[in-house]
Amino acid sequence: MRALIFLLLGLIIISCRNSGEKEQQDQEPAMPAPKPVESTTEYTSEKWHFSAEIPLGFEVFEGELPGEAPVVNFYDSSIEKQPPFGIHNDASMAYITVLPKGFGVDGPGGPRESLEDWEGDLPLSFNVDRRNSYVYLMENGQPWAAGLSFHSPPPGWNEYGGIYIFYQVDDFRAECFSSNTGEEIPMDQCNPMEGDAMKFYGDVSAEKKAALNAILESFYFTDPNREREDTGDLIKVEMPQENATVSSPLEIKGEAKGYWFFEATAPVRLVTESGKVLAEKYIEAQGEWMTKDWVPFRGQLEFDTKEKRGYLIFSRANASGKPEHDRMLRIPVVFD
C-alpha cells in the first residue's frame, strides 16, 4: 500500500513538472529568424577603367545600345524588362547607365537643376562638371534621376561619355502643360522642346535609392599607367573623428601627402545626411606641400543646420580634372 502511494506521488510530481515546463515554453517568445546578410560583389571594367561594388539584388550588363553605343548597366534584378537600358525607360525601374561614348540623345525631360545650383549632394568619390551635370526633379523636390558629365573624360571615354542614375519612383504620374495656353494637355501631345512644361509626381523608393547611392559611393576610376593608392595612404584626419559630435565653427586638423594639395590647399565640404551642402571651403597645408611626405593641414567651417547627421568630405586637389586622379574621404559626423 505504501509503495502504491509513493508511486502515485511520483507520477503527480512528474506531471506537474512537465506542465510547468510546457507553460514556460509557451511563454518564451520564438527566436526571430536571422536577417539575410547584405553582401556586395566588386565589378571592374578593364576596358573602361572603372570599378564599383554591386549590392545584393543588383546585376551588371555589358553590351551595346542601338547605334553601337557601348553601355554598362547596374540594375535591380527584379526589373521585368531585359537590358540594355538607355536613358528613357519606365520610371518604376532602378538602374544606372554608364555610357562611355555617349548615346546621341537628350537626357530625361522635366524640371532639372545643375549640381552647381542644386542644394543637395550625390555620394561621389570622383569630381564631375557640376555646371553640366543635372538632377531631374519631381514636384516635391526629390530627384528621380541624375546625369553626370566630366571636365575631362575618363581613360578610354570620349567627351560625350556620362553616367545616368534612375531611382525607382512608386505611383509615378506625369502631367504636361501647353506653352501656349497654360492648360494641361495629353502626354502624347507634349513637346518640351517647344516650351511645354512637364511635371512629375510620385515617391522615390528609399530602399532602391540607398542601393544605387551605395554603388555611386563605391564607384571610382583607374589610371592604366599607375597603381591606385588607397585613400587611407593619402590623408589622415585627426579632428573630427568618425561620428564625432560637431558644432560651428568646426575645427579641422590632420595630415596628407603633399600631392593631395595644389597651391597648398584642397577642397573640403560639409553636407547633411539628406545631401544639403552646409559649407564649402579649403584645408590649408601647414608647411611645404611640394613633397611626397606627410604634411599637416588645418581648416575651419561655419555652418547652421537643424539636421542631426552629416558628412565631412575631403577631396584631393585635382588640377587636371581627370576623374582617375580623384580621391575623396567621407567622414560621418553628428551635429550638436
Side-chain angles (χ1 to χ4, degrees):
M1 184 67 180
R2 181 179 298 178
L4 181 59
I5 292 174
F6 282 134
L7 178 61
L8 289 174
L9 287 174
L11 291 174
I12 291 172
I13 292 171
I14 293 173
S15 177
C16 291
R17 180 182 298 171
N18 290 341
S19 176
E21 289 176 352
K22 183 179 186 303
E23 182 178 354
Q24 183 179 4
Q25 291 173 356
D26 291 342
Q27 290 176 352
E28 290 179 353
M31 293 296 292
K35 295 182 179 180
V37 177
E38 293 292 334
S39 61
T40 58
T41 302
E42 184 166 343
Y43 165 83
T44 297
S45 173
E46 300 291 346
K47 182 175 183 179
W48 304 117
H49 305 290
F50 71 87
S51 294
E53 292 183 359
I54 313 306
L56 192 68
F58 277 71
E59 297 182 12
V60 181
F61 170 86
E62 299 173 321
E64 291 185 345
L65 291 165
E68 299 183 348
V71 63
V72 179
N73 290 136
F74 305 106
Y75 65 99
D76 178 10
S77 58
S78 66
I79 292 176
E80 294 182 359
K81 295 182 180 180
Q82 295 297 313
F85 302 127
I87 297 176
H88 303 286
N89 280 295
D90 190 329
S92 66
M93 297 164 55
Y95 66 98
I96 293 175
T97 289
V98 179
L99 300 169
K101 302 291 185 180
F103 189 30
V105 299
D106 293 330
R112 69 179 189 179
E113 287 187 7
S114 71
L115 292 189
E116 188 174 67
D117 297 328
W118 185 45
E119 290 188 346
D121 189 60
L122 295 175
L124 303 176
S125 65
F126 53 90
N127 286 300
V128 295
D129 182 351
R130 297 180 69 84
R131 182 180 295 275
N132 293 303
S133 297
Y134 298 92
V135 286
Y136 299 86
L137 303 171
M138 298 190 298
E139 287 301 295
N140 61 10
Q142 287 184 303
W144 66 273
L148 306 179
S149 299
F150 299 91
H151 289 290
S152 178
W157 296 37
N158 68 15
E159 60 182 307
Y160 306 107
I163 301 172
Y164 284 87
I165 305 99
F166 294 90
Y167 300 116
Q168 177 180 309
V169 181
D170 299 323
D171 302 319
F172 178 80
R173 179 169 59 89
E175 294 178 347
C176 185
F177 297 85
S178 170
S179 60
N180 296 321
T181 65
E183 296 181 354
E184 186 175 357
I185 58 177
M187 287 301 297
D188 59 3
Q189 299 177 19
C190 189
N191 190 348
M193 298 297 293
E194 294 186 359
D196 293 342
M198 300 177 68
K199 295 184 178 182
F200 299 143
Y201 305 87
D203 295 306
V204 173
S205 167
E207 178 186 357
K208 303 303 181 185
K209 180 179 180 180
L212 291 182
N213 280 352
I215 296 174
L216 280 181
E217 189 171 355
S218 70
F219 203 109
Y220 65 87
F221 293 92
T222 55
D223 186 339
N225 299 317
R226 67 174 68 178
E227 187 175 347
R228 179 180 171 86
E229 295 180 88
D230 290 336
T231 304
D233 294 331
L234 298 175
I235 183 171
K236 298 176 182 178
V237 178
E238 179 181 336
M239 186 172 65
Q241 294 289 306
E242 288 191 5
N243 297 309
T245 299
V246 300
S247 58
S248 183
L250 170 58
E251 297 291 337
I252 302 170
K253 181 181 178 182
E255 60 179 1
K257 292 294 182 70
Y259 44 94
W260 184 269
F261 306 95
F262 180 71
E263 299 294 343
T265 65
V268 62
R269 57 195 165 118
L270 184 66
V271 304
T272 65
E273 196 170 37
S274 62
K276 182 178 180 180
V277 179
L278 298 176
E280 292 183 274
K281 209 171 179 180
Y282 292 90
I283 54 173
E284 296 182 358
Q286 303 297 296
E288 173 57 47
W289 65 278
M290 297 184 68
T291 175
K292 294 182 179 180
D293 295 330
W294 291 97
V295 180
F297 64 78
R298 286 184 176 273
Q300 186 181 89
L301 293 175
E302 295 184 358
F303 65 95
D304 182 35
T305 184
K306 293 182 179 180
E307 295 200 33
K308 299 298 183 183
R309 292 182 172 273
Y311 296 93
L312 186 62
I313 304 173
F314 295 84
S315 299
R316 180 181 179 184
N318 180 9
S320 71
K322 296 181 178 180
E324 64 270 27
H325 295 166
D326 283 329
R327 290 293 186 280
M328 289 188 184
L329 175 65
R330 295 168 63 91
I331 295 182
V333 294
V334 179
F335 299 124
D336 188 2

